[in-house]
Every structure is written in structure tokens, then in C-alpha cells.
Amino acid sequence: VQLLFQRNNSDKMFEAFRKFGFRNLQALPHRQIVRITPGTEVYCHQVGPMDSMLGVISGGETLLSVNDCEINDHGCRLALDDLKRVDVVLNQFSFAGYTGQMDYKEHAQRLASAKLASMLANHIALKTKVSIPFASFMYFCCSDNAHLNPFANTLREVAQRFREKGQELAVLYPGDTFDSQAPYDSEPALARFDQAHQQVAGLPVDTVAPVPLDRIEESFRKLAIHLKEKYGGWVLRRLKPVTADLADLDSSVRFSLAEGTFERRARNPDADLLINSQPLFFAFAFPFGVQTLGVSGRYFVQHNEANWRRHRILTSMNNAEVYLRPKYFFTRRNLEFFRERLPGVWNQVRYQLQRMT
């Protein structure tokens, strides 16, 4: 089995693949077309610090999987310039994460609307013949995130929006086959998805077992030591203390990555974060933990959202192995990566700022 993965500033994914026994690995360069068989070429386009799109060129046609990349018109133009044409686009059609805003009813509706608008905008900017909605077939299945399910886009809503705009959409149910050279009727798949969406409210919801405070504190202290080594105090001082109310443990904590302190306190429903013990443990225990927390939607940010946003940014940099101490940052590989990726990163930053205003 040959594995293809984006080439960036880190080898951790290739090291993980090797641990699983894979040996035939190929790193895909940013915005270059790579031949992998006599009849097939692939194209990797990195978006932001970690995401990437995959283009597949075969049989005289080009398919572009946008996946969950949040790409704007400028990014679409770059991809179209590289690929020359895009016949089929695979794209996310609903939100699949939540970053903890308290007004979740209003905010989740905005998220769903924005995802649908982005899918349609990508379709038009890429000048594709047809888009296929995928990457959002999920439901929030825990007792602390199931409240988000009613706000997800349905396939029927997506099909209606594309029809209103005169754009072609192909909806596939698992097991369906799409032939771009033949007429395609989405109605049978839509009818099956209508039934599936109606059943979401009755699907199981898990109650996750609590994690003891000792384990949470242990994972926090390991993270604090690691961040101090990789970033130094001058960066960590930007992170102010955070209070978190753990309802399932009937207690609260105050933690400071800058100070390396973890204090146990009595219940405080007015804390910065409202979160259960298991997602907080996971956030500390893994480099991708805080990012995963933002995907899972298993918490609320009640106060000091700007401070928590700084925590998210720094831990995302840590997951991407972008360390700011000079001896880690000023490496040849890092500098080459940033030289190649800086224009795209700045474009992505501008896009995200526009979406937030």
C-alpha cells in the first residue's frame, strides 16, 4: 500500500505510518502535480497550517477533494490555475465542530449557513461541473454536545440551495456510484437521507465516564513543561490563567500554562470554561487535544474568550510543531516551509478575519 501525505515541516505523521508497518510512503509537495501511475496524477494544495486539498487527475478528468478546508475565492483561483480545470468537487456541506460560544442556537445556525455558502462559493469559483457533498455525515453523540445536532444542514437543504442558484449537485448515499459522463438523479439518495436525518434525534447519546482530577493534573503538568521548553516564558506570558468548572466532578480548577500551576477549587458555575473532566483531560493529554475539543463542541466558553483563543492558537502551533524558541524555529526545514507557505497562510488569516466580522 502506498501512502500519500502532504510535505510540511514535520515528520511525525510519516513516523506514525512506519510504526503501523507502512513502508511505501510519498510526501506530496505543495501545489505540484505528481504522477503516481502511468494514468493517474495527484495534486496536494495545503490550506492554512495543517489542512490540505487533494486533486486526482485520471481518465481525462480532474476531481478535487476540498474536504474540510476553508478555502476562499483566492485559494480556488490558485488551485484552478494549477489544475487548469476541475470537473468534480467533493466538499463539506455542514459544520462538524463547535468552539464553545454560549449562544449556541444562534451561533450554530450561523455556522451551518456559512458552510453552505462556502460550498456554493467554492463550486462557482472552481468553475466545476458538479459538486458532491460529503465529509459531514456525522452527529454529535455525547450528552455534552448533542444539543448541536438540530442545527446541522440536511442534504435536502443543500440540494435546494444549489437548485435555486442553477448549479449542479450530485448527492450519493453510501454505496452509490457516480458517472460524470452520464445523467444522475439525486432524488433516491435524498429520499434515503431524509429518513436518516429524521432519525438523528432518536440515536444513542453517550454519557462519558469521568476522569479523576489526578490524571487531569498529571497531563496538564506534562503539557506545561513541554510548552515552556518549546516556546519560552515570553510567549507563555500571553496566556492568562483559566478557570474551568467540571460539573461531572462537582469541582472546579484554575490552571495557568504560563505559571505551570493547577489549583483545585470548589464548584464555580461562573468559570471561564464549562466542561466535563474527560474532554479537559484529552485537551491536555495530546498535542491535538485542544483542537479536537474545538471539533467536538463539548464545552462552553463563558468568559475571557480572547484568552482562550490564544490558548487555542498556541496549542495548534504546538500540534503543527511550529515552535518559537530560536533553536527550534530557525531550522532549514522550517524556513523552507514558511517561505513556501507564507502567502497562503496570510491569505487564510485574512479570510478567517473576514468571516469573524
Side-chain angles (χ1 to χ4, degrees), residues 98-103 107 110 241-242 271-273 299-313 356:
Y98 191 74
T99 52
Q101 290 78 7
M102 292 292 292
D103 57 338
H107 194 79
R110 290 201 303 267
V242 176
D272 298 327
L273 304 184
Y299 74 117
F300 286 106
V301 183
Q302 190 167 219
H303 303 297
N304 300 316
E305 186 173 351
N307 181 43
W308 181 245
R309 188 181 304 116
R310 288 191 290 270
H311 281 74
R312 289 173 50 205
I313 291 171
M356 291 169 61

Side-chain angles (χ1 to χ4, degrees), residues 134-148:
F134 89 139
S136 303
F137 298 108
M138 48 77 68
Y139 79 104
F140 295 94
C141 62
C142 291
S143 57
D144 47 8
N145 65 10
H147 56 273
L148 296 171

Side-chain angles (χ1 to χ4, degrees), residues 206-232:
D206 297 331
T207 299
V208 181
V211 175
L213 272 176
D214 287 344
R215 289 192 67 198
I216 299 174
E217 182 175 358
E218 180 184 6
S219 63
F220 166 81
R221 295 199 180 281
K222 289 180 180 179
L223 175 63
I225 292 170
H226 170 81
L227 293 180
K228 186 175 182 179
E229 163 64 20
K230 300 298 185 181
Y231 293 94

Side-chain angles (χ1 to χ4, degrees), residues 9 12 58 79 89 108 141 187 198 233 250 257 262 301 314 319:
N9 63 315
K12 69 176 183 179
S58 187
V89 169
C141 62
E187 190 54 39
Q198 291 172 5
D250 194 30
L257 287 171
F262 186 93
V301 183
L314 185 66
N319 187 33

